[in-house]
């Protein structure tokens, strides 16, 4: 007997128009839909006139429910997995089921669709490659301290999820640990009526949210840490020195900018003006 397929189906972050035609077709055709919150998903499915049996699969029953879902898949049923919003398995239940399915030879089909981290990153204005995704920062304890320290040191653009009532605390802890002029972006209520991006240095964004207490769903992005080296050299002299050691011009400008902790464009402009 052929086994069924496990379909990972992203759902809207807020705007119902963001569900894809393919996700709707798979949800209609699946034998059952495994959902984080069956009441929430039933409403979504009813909106699209989809009536498929639901099975609950959430953080607190996932260990118990995995064997049942695997059994259905092994019996040849197609199962669609959804979370409350966005992509299942991304800071949402799903990872364990995917691993178990792979281990049991069940095809896992990931459908593309909304994910808050990537939606926010694309419009953040920060460097998008490379980026590091941290999911949620633990609310307290050693794990929280450790993760904040990792984020503070991160040399990639960092994306994480934060509850609105913890946003101020997290931003002020980061501001206390890090360069206050590091850029941060808070993407709030993505795809919804009150969507907004608050951009600025850690200090400025912290000040904004102190005046306007955050509400709704927030995704936070932090500029990578720029290690500024103590160099008592002008950009021209540094580029000349690098050229003398065998760098070509483009790489010399890039390296000088990195060492001086300034944008590449600034070094380029200085060198250009010299001519
Ligand atoms: N699986 C989801 C995804 O693909 O993005 C993430 C689920 S996680 C439980 C929920 C968190 O995602 C929220 O607390 C918030 O940080 C972020 N998020 C979800 N919807 C959002 C939105 N509309 N705007 C900004 N952030 C959002």
């Amino acid at each position: 007997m052929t086994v069924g397929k496990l379909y990972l189906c992203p759902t809207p972050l807020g705007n119902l128009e963001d569900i894809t035609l393919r996700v709707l077709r798979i949800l209609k055709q699946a034998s059952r839909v495994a959902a984080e919150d069956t009441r929430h998903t039933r409403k979504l499915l009813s909106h699209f006139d989809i009536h498929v049996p639901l099975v609950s699969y959430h953080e607190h029953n996932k260990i118990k429910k995995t064997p049942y879902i695997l059994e259905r898949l092994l019996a040849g049923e197609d199962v669609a997995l959804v979370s409350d919003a966005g992509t299942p398995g991304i800071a949402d239940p799903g990872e364990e089921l995917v691993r178990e399915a792979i281990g049991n030879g069940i095809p896992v089909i990931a459908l593309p669709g909304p994910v808050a981290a990537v939606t926010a990153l694309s419009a953040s204005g920060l460097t998008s490659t490379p980026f590091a995704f941290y999911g949620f920062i633990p609310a307290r304890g050693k794990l929280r301290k450790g993760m904040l320290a990792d984020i503070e040191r991160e040399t990639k653009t960092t994306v994480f999820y934060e509850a609105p009532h913890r946003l101020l605390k997290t931003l002020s802890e980061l501001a206390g640990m890090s360069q206050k002029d590091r850029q941060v972006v808070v993407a709030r209520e993505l795809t919804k009526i009150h969507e907004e991006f608050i951009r600025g240095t850690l200090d400025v964004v912290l000040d904004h949210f102190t005046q306007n207490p955050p509400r709704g769903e927030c995704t936070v992005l932090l500029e990578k840490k720029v290690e500024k080296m103590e160099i008592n050299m002008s950009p021209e002299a540094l580029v000349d020195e690098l050229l003398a050691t065998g760098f070509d011009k483009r790489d010399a400008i890039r390296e000088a900018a990195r060492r001086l902790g300034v944008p590449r464009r600034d070094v380029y402009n200085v060198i250009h003006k010299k001519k």
Side-chain angles (χ1 to χ4, degrees):
M1 184 198 281
T2 49
V3 298
K5 295 188 177 80
L6 174 63
Y7 289 94
L8 309 179
C9 295
T11 53
L13 299 172
N15 187 329
L16 291 184
E17 288 177 354
D18 291 334
I19 198 154
T20 71
L21 295 175
R22 188 166 169 222
V23 166
L24 288 176
R25 177 173 63 76
I26 295 298
L27 288 172
K28 248 182 220 148
Q29 290 173 356
S31 305
R32 65 194 73 223
V33 172
E36 191 181 4
D37 177 340
T38 49
R39 271 185 306 177
H40 176 91
T41 300
R42 203 179 303 283
K43 271 193 212 146
L44 178 79
L45 296 187
S46 304
H47 177 86
F48 291 106
D49 200 19
I50 296 173
H51 307 280
V52 174
L54 292 174
V55 48
S56 129
Y57 181 80
H58 54 68
E59 199 48 41
H60 306 292
N61 72 2
K62 62 187 184 188
I63 307 288
K64 214 175 83 198
K65 281 293 170 71
T66 296
Y68 171 74
I69 297 173
L70 279 179
E71 194 184 289
R72 302 318 318 149
L73 286 159
L74 289 169
E77 288 185 11
D78 286 342
V79 175
L81 177 67
V82 300
S83 61
D84 287 351
T87 299
I90 306 298
D92 262 342
E95 264 185 54
E96 295 79 4
L97 185 57
V98 166
R99 266 196 292 277
E100 288 292 329
I102 294 168
N104 281 276
I106 293 158
V108 178
I109 318 284
L111 276 63
V115 50
V118 176
T119 306
L121 180 64
S122 66
S124 66
L126 300 177
T127 304
S128 63
T129 317
F131 77 92
F133 176 58
Y134 281 77
F136 284 104
I137 299 178
R140 61 188 75 83
K142 271 194 196 154
L143 287 177
R144 176 179 175 83
K145 261 196 167 164
M147 194 180 282
L148 284 174
D150 287 348
I151 290 174
E152 196 278 328
R153 280 194 300 266
E154 188 57 72
T155 54
K156 304 177 180 81
T157 296
T158 300
V159 189
F160 61 89
Y161 292 152
E162 191 52 288
H165 62 275
R166 271 202 293 268
L167 183 68
L168 270 176
K169 182 170 183 264
T170 299
L171 291 182
S172 65
E173 283 181 38
L174 281 170
M177 299 163 77
S178 202
Q179 303 133 326
K180 291 191 171 50
D181 57 355
R182 217 158 144 184
Q183 291 291 316
V184 67
V185 179
V186 176
R188 224 178 53 77
E189 295 287 84
L190 287 165
T191 79
K192 304 183 193 175
I193 296 171
H194 298 294
E195 167 174 314
E196 63 175 5
F197 283 79
I198 305 297
R199 303 181 175 89
T201 58
L202 266 169
D203 263 6
V204 167
V205 172
L206 195 50
D207 191 48
H208 170 90
F209 284 115
T210 308
Q211 316 282 339
N212 310 278
R215 277 192 284 164
E217 310 222 61
C218 299
T219 296
V220 185
L221 306 100
L222 183 69
E223 179 189 29
K224 66 181 179 181
K225 184 161 193 174
V226 180
E227 292 291 358
K228 294 184 182 154
M229 294 189 191
E230 284 301 319
I231 295 176
N232 293 321
M233 232 184 207
S234 68
E236 296 102 304
L238 185 53
V239 169
D240 284 345
E241 188 180 284
L242 291 165
L243 288 172
T245 61
F247 275 80
D248 68 23
K249 193 165 166 199
R250 197 161 150 262
D251 288 346
I253 290 175
R254 186 194 303 250
E255 181 60 14
R258 194 186 71 77
R259 291 192 193 176
L260 293 166
V262 298
R264 225 177 293 165
R265 194 180 46 249
D266 291 3
V267 180
Y268 180 85
N269 287 342
V270 172
I271 304 299
H272 211 63
K273 264 191 216 136
K274 227 175 80 177
K275 296 208 167 145

